[in-house]
Amino acid sequence: MTQEQKLELRRSLGRFATGVTVVTCLGDRGPCGITANSFSSVSLEPPLVLWNIAKVSHSLRAYLDAEHFAVNVLGEHQRDLSHHFAQSDHTVFSGIDYESSTDDVPILPGTIACFECRTYAIHECGDHYIIVGEVLRFRSNEDAPLLFFGSEYRRCGDTFPD
């Protein structure tokens, strides 16, 4: 695939609106966090979710080695957290408030949902790894989500009448 085709594919994939998450774990150098919009539910029985991480990510080893991780779903008021955790720096938790879960995973306060997971499976796939987690604990609220569409942050619009 040419570079131009890759850019066109990326633009076309950007036509699918997604939520924005920060996936966290505890690495050997401390807490890790990475912005990810490649999050999806997989199964209710057992309760499984997945997300993707690029093979070039600076924190790849921490996530591949982590027994537990959390998917923190950001609300529309948390765009700054998305930007912050999009950095490729291992000190991304500097100045960021968080709580530690039962499994010592960093949990971000004020998110609209959080899924605490145990790593269930890891699949190498192209230039990414797919990480599947078994949901151990979760919480959510009714706040508005932060959305990403067409390489821009968006807000949720009105619902359609029945």
Side-chain angles (χ1 to χ4, degrees):
M1 187 177 286
T2 68
Q3 190 62 29
E4 184 177 318
Q5 289 171 320
K6 287 179 186 178
L7 290 172
E8 182 62 22
L9 175 59
R10 183 180 178 114
R11 189 190 70 72
S12 295
L13 290 169
R15 303 312 297 163
F16 181 70
T18 65
V20 182
T21 70
V22 172
V23 181
T24 56
C25 73
L26 185 60
D28 62 354
R29 297 198 291 180
C32 291
I34 187 170
T35 299
N37 65 346
S38 60
F39 168 70
S40 182
S41 64
V42 174
S43 170
L44 291 177
E45 191 59 45
L48 302 174
V49 297
L50 68 75
W51 69 287
N52 303 330
I53 186 169
K55 289 181 177 179
V56 297
S57 173
H58 287 75
S59 52
L60 176 64
R61 182 56 30 207
Y63 288 99
L64 294 181
D65 292 344
E67 184 178 343
H68 296 92
F69 64 89
V71 179
N72 300 270
V73 182
L74 301 185
E76 70 178 10
H77 64 286
Q78 296 177 307
R79 198 167 86 183
D80 57 331
L81 282 176
S82 174
H83 283 295
H84 183 84
F85 285 103
Q87 299 176 52
S88 59
D89 184 354
H90 279 70
T91 62
V92 292
F93 266 89
S94 298
I96 299 296
D97 290 331
Y98 67 93
E99 307 160 2
S100 290
S101 74
T102 305
D103 301 306
D104 292 326
V105 174
I107 304 293
L108 300 174
T111 59
I112 66 169
C114 181
F115 303 91
E116 297 178 46
C117 302
R118 175 180 29 244
T119 300
Y120 184 85
I122 298 174
H123 304 283
E124 186 173 359
C125 199
D127 57 2
H128 280 66
Y129 283 92
I130 300 168
I131 299 178
V132 180
E134 179 182 12
V135 178
L136 303 176
R137 290 171 292 283
F138 63 94
R139 64 167 174 73
S140 66
N141 62 48
E142 297 298 317
D143 291 347
L146 180 62
L147 300 179
F148 200 70
F149 176 79
S151 300
E152 296 180 328
Y153 292 103
R154 304 289 178 113
R155 287 198 174 106
C156 220
D158 294 330
T159 58
F160 289 103
D162 289 336

